[in-house]
Amino acid sequence: MSRAFILLLDSFGLGATPDAASFGDAGANTFGHIASWAAGQGKPMSLPNLERLGLAAAAHLACGEWAEGFALRDGFGAAYGAARERSTGKDTQSGHWEIAGVPVDFEWGYFPRTTPSFPAELTAALQALTGVPGFLGDCHASGTEIINRHGDEHVASGKLIIYTSGDSVMQIAAHEDSFGLERLYEVCEAAFKLVAPYNIGRVIARPFSGANGDYTRTSNRHDYAVAPPAPTLLDHVKDAGGEVVGLGKISDIFAGQGISRVVKGVDNMALFDALLTVADEVGDGSLTFVNFVDFDQAFGHRRNVQGYSDALHEMDARLPEFVAKLKQGDLVVVTADHGCDPTWPGSDHTREHIPMMFFGPGVAPRALGISDSFSDIGQTLAHHLGVAPLAHGNNLL
C-alpha cells in the first residue's frame, strides 16, 4: 500500500531566502515573527504536534534562529528540512507548480502599483464584452478591505470591483445576489481571455455577500488559471492509474490538469474534515493534495498576526486525527508555497523558505537540510508512489 498526502499550509514561510532582498523581503519570517509576537504578548505559541515533526528545527535550518517558545531540540518524528524556490516569483502558481516538479523559469506579467493598475484598453475591452457599467477599485489592495470600501457603491451601481496584488492576477469581486454568481463567472471567463497577452497567471472570481458596508467573501471563489507548461506530479500519478484528489483551490491552481476529484471547503477546518474523509476513501497509488488557504487569504494578506497564530494552533490540535488515519506505506509532507509574513509592510506574499516535514509509518526521522528547489518534494513523492520520475527535483528519502 503506497499513498501520498501533501498538506500545504498556504503562505507558512520559515524565513527569508538569500535572494529575498530583490523582492523587497529581506528579513521577512512568517513563522518566526508570529512566534516573536506571541511571546511578546505573554502567550508563547504552543504547537506540540508540528514541533515534534521538526517545524522549529526546519526553521532553524532556514534562518539560523530558533523560534521563540519552541524548546524541542531532538527526538523529532519526521524527516524535516526547508526548501528555497527556484522559480522567478513568489506567487501561488509558481510555488505549487514547483512543488509538483515544474519550476517557473519565465517571468509572469504583473500589474503596476499605480491607480489605475489595469491598462485602460483592458478594462475598456472587458466593459465592451460584458456590458457592465464600469469598475471600482482598479488598484493593488487587500480583498476584504476593498470589498467593504466599495461594496455599497457596487450594489447600487452594478460596477464591478477589480483589484490586483503582488501575484500575477486580476481579481474581480461582485455581490452574489445583486450581481449574480453565474454572471460574475462569465465576466471572469471573458477577462481570462483578455489578460492572456499580458502573461497574467490567473483571474479570480471573488463573490461576496452582505449589506451596508459589512460584506463577507463566500466560498464560491473560482480561479481561472493558466495550465502548467509541462506534466506535473499530478499528471504522473493520474497517468499511472492513481487517483489525484485536490482539496480546496488545488484544481484551480493546476487548471484541472492531473486532477481526478475535486473537494471544496469553506475554510481550513472544513477542508480538514474533508481530508479525514478522503483519507478513509483513497486507495493504493493515490495522491491527496490539500491547500489550507485561510493562513494566506484570511490572515497573511490581511496582516492579522493573532488570526494567523490562532489558525496554526487550530491546525496543530487536529493533526493527531489525521495521523490516526495513516496506514502502512503512507507518506505525508507538510509544506507551504511561499511566505506571507503578517508583520511585514504591505499586503503581499514574502519570498521565504518553506517547510518540508515528511512523515508516516516507516519514515526514518532525520534532518534533510535545505533543498535548492521545491521540486524535491514532488520528486520524493513520485519515487514513493512508483510513478515516472519528474523532470526536476531530487528524491530526499
Side-chain angles (χ1 to χ4, degrees):
M1 189 78 174
S2 293
R3 307 187 302 175
F5 299 84
I6 303 174
L7 277 55
L8 190 143
L9 313 187
D10 198 314
S11 85
F12 190 43
L14 299 185
T17 52
D19 63 356
S22 62
F23 295 82
D25 295 329
N29 190 333
T30 299
F31 173 45
H33 288 161
I34 296 171
S36 295
W37 176 88
Q41 300 295 308
K43 297 180 179 180
M45 297 183 79
S46 177
L47 305 174
N49 296 302
L50 287 167
E51 186 175 16
R52 280 193 294 271
L53 293 177
L55 172 61
H60 181 259
L61 286 172
C63 67
E65 298 178 358
W66 289 95
E68 291 188 58
F70 292 82
L72 195 64
R73 297 293 183 266
D74 54 31
F76 302 112
Y80 65 87
R84 296 168 180 163
E85 189 166 9
R86 174 180 153 182
S87 299
T88 56
K90 53 178 179 177
D91 58 278
T92 297
Q93 279 168 287
S94 296
H96 283 74
W97 292 0
E98 183 166 333
I99 286 170
V102 181
V104 174
D105 56 7
F106 57 84
E107 291 288 344
W108 290 110
Y110 299 93
F111 294 114
R113 291 182 177 277
T114 56
T115 303
S117 286
F118 301 107
E121 61 270 19
L122 172 61
T123 51
L126 184 59
Q127 186 172 6
L129 271 176
T130 61
V132 298
F135 303 100
L136 304 168
D138 200 345
C139 60
H140 279 241
S142 161
T144 50
E145 185 276 330
I146 199 169
I147 287 168
N148 279 326
R149 187 190 340 150
H150 294 296
D152 288 351
E153 185 177 354
H154 159 72
V155 171
S157 68
K159 294 180 179 179
L160 284 167
I161 302 170
I162 57 174
Y163 59 102
T164 188
S165 68
D167 268 15
S168 179
V169 65
M170 180 181 197
Q171 307 203 54
I172 305 178
H175 198 284
E176 281 198 357
D177 297 323
S178 67
F179 189 84
L181 183 60
E182 292 305 319
R183 186 181 176 203
L184 172 61
Y185 290 162
E186 290 170 2
V187 171
C188 289
E189 288 177 10
F192 183 60
K193 295 175 182 176
L194 291 174
V195 300
Y198 301 92
N199 200 28
I200 299 300
R202 287 181 296 163
V203 171
I204 305 178
R206 289 288 197 177
F208 61 92
S209 60
N212 302 322
D214 184 16
Y215 298 99
T216 304
R217 293 193 295 203
T218 74
S219 60
N220 291 318
R221 160 186 173 157
H222 183 63
D223 295 35
Y224 298 83
V226 174
T232 70
L233 171 66
L234 286 64
D235 297 300
H236 287 219
V237 174
K238 189 177 181 184
D239 290 347
E243 183 180 21
V244 178
V245 184
L247 288 85
K249 65 178 185 178
I250 294 300
S251 182
D252 287 347
I253 293 168
F254 288 88
Q257 188 170 294
I259 298 288
S260 308
R261 178 159 47 122
V262 178
V263 180
K264 295 291 187 178
V266 296
D267 55 25
N268 278 356
M269 291 302 97
L271 286 167
F272 200 94
D273 290 338
L275 172 65
L276 297 180
T277 300
V278 170
D280 285 335
E281 297 171 345
V282 292
D284 192 25
S286 63
L287 171 66
T288 300
F289 196 163
V290 55
N291 175 294
F292 294 105
V293 70
D294 287 355
F295 296 110
D296 185 55
Q297 78 171 11
F299 308 119
H301 284 298
R302 295 172 70 176
R303 298 309 193 241
N304 182 345
V305 190
Q306 180 70 67
Y308 209 130
S309 176
D310 290 346
L312 286 168
H313 285 90
E314 193 175 38
M315 181 66 62
D316 187 83
R318 297 202 64 185
L319 269 179
E321 298 175 57
F322 171 69
V323 173
K325 303 273 188 185
L326 298 182
K327 304 174 182 179
Q328 193 65 37
D330 286 350
L331 178 61
V332 184
V333 62
V334 176
T335 188
D337 53 342
H338 49 68
C340 198
D341 187 341
T343 72
W344 206 244
S347 61
D348 288 336
H349 296 156
T350 41
R351 179 84 166 183
E352 299 184 47
H353 296 83
I354 61 168
M356 301 184 299
M357 294 176 285
F358 293 94
F359 65 96
V363 177
R366 60 189 181 276
L368 298 173
I370 298 177
S371 291
D372 61 6
S373 172
F374 295 179
S375 292
D376 286 0
I377 295 171
Q379 193 72 278
T380 301
L381 298 184
H383 184 268
H384 174 76
L385 292 172
V387 301
L390 306 180
H392 301 278
N394 299 302
N395 173 26
L396 298 175
L397 302 181

PDB file of all heavy atoms in Angstrom, residues 103-116:
ATOM      1  N   PRO A 103       9.193  23.924 -12.086  1.00  0.00           N
ATOM      2  CA  PRO A 103       9.563  25.301 -11.715  1.00  0.00           C
ATOM      3  C   PRO A 103       9.198  26.279 -12.825  1.00  0.00           C
ATOM      4  O   PRO A 103       9.208  25.930 -14.011  1.00  0.00           O
ATOM      5  CB  PRO A 103      11.086  25.230 -11.544  1.00  0.00           C
ATOM      6  CG  PRO A 103      11.390  23.771 -11.358  1.00  0.00           C
ATOM      7  CD  PRO A 103      10.359  23.034 -12.156  1.00  0.00           C
ATOM      8  N   VAL A 104       8.866  27.492 -12.431  1.00  0.00           N
ATOM      9  CA  VAL A 104       8.519  28.543 -13.398  1.00  0.00           C
ATOM     10  C   VAL A 104       9.797  29.320 -13.716  1.00  0.00           C
ATOM     11  O   VAL A 104      10.284  30.102 -12.896  1.00  0.00           O
ATOM     12  CB  VAL A 104       7.431  29.472 -12.821  1.00  0.00           C
ATOM     13  CG1 VAL A 104       7.179  30.644 -13.771  1.00  0.00           C
ATOM     14  CG2 VAL A 104       6.146  28.692 -12.579  1.00  0.00           C
ATOM     15  N   ASP A 105      10.344  29.095 -14.917  1.00  0.00           N
ATOM     16  CA  ASP A 105      11.590  29.757 -15.295  1.00  0.00           C
ATOM     17  C   ASP A 105      11.358  30.936 -16.229  1.00  0.00           C
ATOM     18  O   ASP A 105      12.280  31.445 -16.844  1.00  0.00           O
ATOM     19  CB  ASP A 105      12.561  28.754 -15.919  1.00  0.00           C
ATOM     20  CG  ASP A 105      11.977  28.024 -17.125  1.00  0.00           C
ATOM     21  OD1 ASP A 105      10.863  28.398 -17.561  1.00  0.00           O
ATOM     22  OD2 ASP A 105      12.622  27.092 -17.627  1.00  0.00           O
ATOM     23  N   PHE A 106      10.077  31.353 -16.330  1.00  0.00           N
ATOM     24  CA  PHE A 106       9.762  32.539 -17.131  1.00  0.00           C
ATOM     25  C   PHE A 106       9.213  33.612 -16.201  1.00  0.00           C
ATOM     26  O   PHE A 106       8.907  33.343 -15.030  1.00  0.00           O
ATOM     27  CB  PHE A 106       8.737  32.208 -18.224  1.00  0.00           C
ATOM     28  CG  PHE A 106       7.444  31.615 -17.694  1.00  0.00           C
ATOM     29  CD1 PHE A 106       6.417  32.438 -17.237  1.00  0.00           C
ATOM     30  CD2 PHE A 106       7.257  30.237 -17.658  1.00  0.00           C
ATOM     31  CE1 PHE A 106       5.230  31.899 -16.748  1.00  0.00           C
ATOM     32  CE2 PHE A 106       6.079  29.696 -17.174  1.00  0.00           C
ATOM     33  CZ  PHE A 106       5.064  30.529 -16.714  1.00  0.00           C
ATOM     34  N   GLU A 107       9.104  34.812 -16.715  1.00  0.00           N
ATOM     35  CA  GLU A 107       8.591  35.922 -15.910  1.00  0.00           C
ATOM     36  C   GLU A 107       7.097  36.084 -16.151  1.00  0.00           C
ATOM     37  O   GLU A 107       6.651  36.259 -17.290  1.00  0.00           O
ATOM     38  CB  GLU A 107       9.306  37.233 -16.275  1.00  0.00           C
ATOM     39  CG  GLU A 107      10.768  37.278 -15.847  1.00  0.00           C
ATOM     40  CD  GLU A 107      10.951  37.414 -14.344  1.00  0.00           C
ATOM     41  OE1 GLU A 107       9.970  37.772 -13.650  1.00  0.00           O
ATOM     42  OE2 GLU A 107      12.076  37.155 -13.871  1.00  0.00           O
ATOM     43  N   TRP A 108       6.307  35.998 -15.083  1.00  0.00           N
ATOM     44  CA  TRP A 108       4.891  36.334 -15.182  1.00  0.00           C
ATOM     45  C   TRP A 108       4.730  37.825 -15.467  1.00  0.00           C
ATOM     46  O   TRP A 108       5.617  38.623 -15.162  1.00  0.00           O
ATOM     47  CB  TRP A 108       4.183  36.028 -13.866  1.00  0.00           C
ATOM     48  CG  TRP A 108       4.019  34.580 -13.509  1.00  0.00           C
ATOM     49  CD1 TRP A 108       4.655  33.905 -12.514  1.00  0.00           C
ATOM     50  CD2 TRP A 108       3.141  33.625 -14.131  1.00  0.00           C
ATOM     51  NE1 TRP A 108       4.236  32.593 -12.471  1.00  0.00           N
ATOM     52  CE2 TRP A 108       3.301  32.399 -13.449  1.00  0.00           C
ATOM     53  CE3 TRP A 108       2.229  33.691 -15.184  1.00  0.00           C
ATOM     54  CZ2 TRP A 108       2.594  31.249 -13.782  1.00  0.00           C
ATOM     55  CZ3 TRP A 108       1.525  32.547 -15.521  1.00  0.00           C
ATOM     56  CH2 TRP A 108       1.701  31.349 -14.836  1.00  0.00           C
ATOM     57  N   GLY A 109       3.600  38.179 -16.006  1.00  0.00           N
ATOM     58  CA  GLY A 109       3.257  39.588 -16.117  1.00  0.00           C
ATOM     59  C   GLY A 109       2.595  40.060 -14.817  1.00  0.00           C
ATOM     60  O   GLY A 109       1.913  39.276 -14.143  1.00  0.00           O
ATOM     61  N   TYR A 110       2.826  41.289 -14.467  1.00  0.00           N
ATOM     62  CA  TYR A 110       2.237  41.858 -13.245  1.00  0.00           C
ATOM     63  C   TYR A 110       1.638  43.223 -13.565  1.00  0.00           C
ATOM     64  O   TYR A 110       2.107  43.924 -14.470  1.00  0.00           O
ATOM     65  CB  TYR A 110       3.293  42.019 -12.146  1.00  0.00           C
ATOM     66  CG  TYR A 110       3.939  40.724 -11.729  1.00  0.00           C
ATOM     67  CD1 TYR A 110       5.131  40.287 -12.328  1.00  0.00           C
ATOM     68  CD2 TYR A 110       3.367  39.909 -10.758  1.00  0.00           C
ATOM     69  CE1 TYR A 110       5.727  39.096 -11.960  1.00  0.00           C
ATOM     70  CE2 TYR A 110       3.962  38.708 -10.381  1.00  0.00           C
ATOM     71  CZ  TYR A 110       5.142  38.316 -10.984  1.00  0.00           C
ATOM     72  OH  TYR A 110       5.729  37.127 -10.626  1.00  0.00           O
ATOM     73  N   PHE A 111       0.625  43.601 -12.809  1.00  0.00           N
ATOM     74  CA  PHE A 111       0.046  44.929 -12.974  1.00  0.00           C
ATOM     75  C   PHE A 111       0.707  45.895 -11.995  1.00  0.00           C
ATOM     76  O   PHE A 111       0.976  45.536 -10.845  1.00  0.00           O
ATOM     77  CB  PHE A 111      -1.464  44.872 -12.756  1.00  0.00           C
ATOM     78  CG  PHE A 111      -2.188  44.079 -13.805  1.00  0.00           C
ATOM     79  CD1 PHE A 111      -2.829  42.879 -13.488  1.00  0.00           C
ATOM     80  CD2 PHE A 111      -2.217  44.510 -15.126  1.00  0.00           C
ATOM     81  CE1 PHE A 111      -3.488  42.133 -14.452  1.00  0.00           C
ATOM     82  CE2 PHE A 111      -2.865  43.771 -16.107  1.00  0.00           C
ATOM     83  CZ  PHE A 111      -3.505  42.583 -15.769  1.00  0.00           C
ATOM     84  N   PRO A 112       0.990  47.122 -12.430  1.00  0.00           N
ATOM     85  CA  PRO A 112       1.799  48.045 -11.631  1.00  0.00           C
ATOM     86  C   PRO A 112       1.075  48.559 -10.389  1.00  0.00           C
ATOM     87  O   PRO A 112      -0.151  48.519 -10.292  1.00  0.00           O
ATOM     88  CB  PRO A 112       2.076  49.188 -12.613  1.00  0.00           C
ATOM     89  CG  PRO A 112       0.906  49.162 -13.542  1.00  0.00           C
ATOM     90  CD  PRO A 112       0.566  47.699 -13.715  1.00  0.00           C
ATOM     91  N   ARG A 113       1.883  49.064  -9.443  1.00  0.00           N
ATOM     92  CA  ARG A 113       1.346  49.645  -8.210  1.00  0.00           C
ATOM     93  C   ARG A 113       0.944  51.094  -8.447  1.00  0.00           C
ATOM     94  O   ARG A 113       1.453  52.014  -7.810  1.00  0.00           O
ATOM     95  CB  ARG A 113       2.386  49.569  -7.096  1.00  0.00           C
ATOM     96  CG  ARG A 113       2.659  48.155  -6.626  1.00  0.00           C
ATOM     97  CD  ARG A 113       3.662  48.139  -5.493  1.00  0.00           C
ATOM     98  NE  ARG A 113       3.869  46.789  -5.003  1.00  0.00           N
ATOM     99  CZ  ARG A 113       3.088  46.179  -4.126  1.00  0.00           C
ATOM    100  NH1 ARG A 113       2.041  46.829  -3.624  1.00  0.00           N
ATOM    101  NH2 ARG A 113       3.336  44.946  -3.731  1.00  0.00           N
ATOM    102  N   THR A 114       0.048  51.259  -9.385  1.00  0.00           N
ATOM    103  CA  THR A 114      -0.472  52.588  -9.701  1.00  0.00           C
ATOM    104  C   THR A 114      -1.982  52.530  -9.577  1.00  0.00           C
ATOM    105  O   THR A 114      -2.569  51.464  -9.448  1.00  0.00           O
ATOM    106  CB  THR A 114      -0.098  52.991 -11.139  1.00  0.00           C
ATOM    107  OG1 THR A 114      -0.582  51.976 -12.048  1.00  0.00           O
ATOM    108  CG2 THR A 114       1.410  53.117 -11.306  1.00  0.00           C
ATOM    109  N   THR A 115      -2.605  53.671  -9.598  1.00  0.00           N
ATOM    110  CA  THR A 115      -4.067  53.737  -9.658  1.00  0.00           C
ATOM    111  C   THR A 115      -4.439  54.634 -10.834  1.00  0.00           C
ATOM    112  O   THR A 115      -4.141  55.816 -10.813  1.00  0.00           O
ATOM    113  CB  THR A 115      -4.659  54.310  -8.356  1.00  0.00           C
ATOM    114  OG1 THR A 115      -4.221  53.491  -7.249  1.00  0.00           O
ATOM    115  CG2 THR A 115      -6.178  54.294  -8.400  1.00  0.00           C
ATOM    116  N   PRO A 116      -5.027  54.049 -11.879  1.00  0.00           N
ATOM    117  CA  PRO A 116      -5.438  52.648 -12.015  1.00  0.00           C
ATOM    118  C   PRO A 116      -4.263  51.698 -12.249  1.00  0.00           C
ATOM    119  O   PRO A 116      -3.230  52.100 -12.772  1.00  0.00           O
ATOM    120  CB  PRO A 116      -6.361  52.675 -13.229  1.00  0.00           C
ATOM    121  CG  PRO A 116      -5.867  53.829 -14.050  1.00  0.00           C
ATOM    122  CD  PRO A 116      -5.404  54.866 -13.064  1.00  0.00           C
TER     123      PRO A 116
END
